[in-house]
Amino acid sequence: MDTLTRLEATIAQRRAASPDESYVASLHAKGLPKMAQKLGEEATEAVIAALLGSRQDLTGEAADLLFHLLVLLGAKDVSLADVLTELDRREGISGLDEKAARNN
């Protein structure tokens, strides 16, 4: 089991905990808008780290971004396996071609 799969399982387990005892549970208690907001904040912080920070800063922000993405995906009942399947489907397809196909 890889790191992201273990993290996904941990997040799923912690959703059932008390919001006073689990950050994941507290995000779920606040609802989808808060989870989406946190993901956006982490994405912005990753961009800033990429432009102005060190390699270590970007690594930390990327980890935060992946964590919050998994929290949001879990809340919407989208598994990491679903995302990986979609990436597999896109493999070998030009990014420009794939984007054009979505816009049609």
Side-chain angles (χ1 to χ4, degrees), residues 82-98:
D82 294 336
V83 175
L84 295 176
T85 296
E86 177 61 13
L87 287 172
D88 287 342
R89 183 191 69 76
R90 295 180 185 187
E91 188 174 359
I93 300 171
S94 158
L96 296 174
D97 291 343
E98 195 280 329

Side-chain angles (χ1 to χ4, degrees), residues 4-5 8 47 62 80 87:
L4 289 176
T5 303
E8 179 182 48
V47 169
L80 179 60
L87 287 172

Side-chain angles (χ1 to χ4, degrees), residues 21-62:
E21 297 175 3
S22 166
Y23 178 64
V24 170
S26 71
L27 285 173
H28 276 267
K30 293 174 185 172
L32 195 58
K34 183 62 173 181
M35 287 181 267
Q37 176 189 349
K38 285 300 297 177
L39 180 62
E41 289 171 4
E42 296 302 338
T44 299
E45 290 172 10
V47 169
I48 293 167
L51 295 173
L52 303 173
S54 67
R55 188 173 194 275
Q56 183 177 0
D57 293 337
L58 179 56
T59 300
E61 294 303 339

